[in-house]
Amino acid sequence: QVQLVESGGGLVQAGGSLRLSCAASGRTFSRYAMGWFRQAPGKEREFVAAISWSGGSTSYANSVKGRFTISRDNAKKTVYLQMNSLKPEDTAVYYCAATDTVLVPTTSSRYNYWGQGTQVTVSS
């Protein structure tokens, strides 16, 4: 069982940066691949980024590639999403998710555990 708590969301101007954190409970955090998803009002939840259990493999949505960076610290049981050059279209609730697979899934159905989400609002 894994419980996830996101933090770091807020209001930022376009072009600014935010770093989201996702703290996990449970002793086997290092065995889980982790992902970030987001959901804007009236839209479906979409994949943002994912990282393997070791941190050696990552995947990004095309819309954030080159601007966002996912990383993890297994000792701290935390995964991060550094978001730079933010755009108004990045506005959404951002969710952290965990999956007990060696792969780096990009579809939400592959994830077993979800956090409650943190709001990111980018003003123009």
Side-chain angles (χ1 to χ4, degrees):
Q1 191 80 358
V2 177
Q3 292 185 328
L4 305 171
V5 178
E6 302 96 335
S7 63
L11 174 64
V12 64
Q13 289 187 333
S17 298
L18 282 175
R19 187 176 82 156
L20 305 183
S21 299
C22 173
S25 65
R27 293 176 293 179
T28 58
F29 172 76
S30 61
R31 299 181 184 179
Y32 289 85
M34 302 294 295
W36 286 97
F37 290 77
R38 66 187 182 187
Q39 188 167 18
K43 295 187 177 181
E44 293 186 353
R45 190 171 298 189
E46 66 174 0
F47 169 74
V48 175
I51 188 167
S52 62
W53 67 270
S54 68
S57 180
T58 58
S59 181
Y60 295 92
N62 287 335
S63 59
V64 307
K65 201 170 293 184
R67 300 187 298 123
F68 292 9
T69 303
I70 189 171
S71 61
R72 66 188 296 160
D73 185 333
N74 286 343
K76 295 182 178 179
K77 297 183 180 179
T78 302
V79 63
Y80 305 97
L81 185 68
Q82 178 66 43
M83 305 186 295
N84 298 328
S85 302
L86 283 161
K87 305 175 181 180
E89 51 263 45
D90 294 318
T91 295
V93 176
Y94 282 71
Y95 297 90
C96 173
T99 178
D100 52 356
T101 173
V102 298
L103 302 176
V104 187
T106 61
T107 54
S108 59
S109 60
R110 297 294 302 276
Y111 286 82
N112 310 100
Y113 306 101
W114 292 84
Q116 293 299 309
T118 185
Q119 176 71 47
V120 171
T121 303
V122 184
S123 63
S124 57

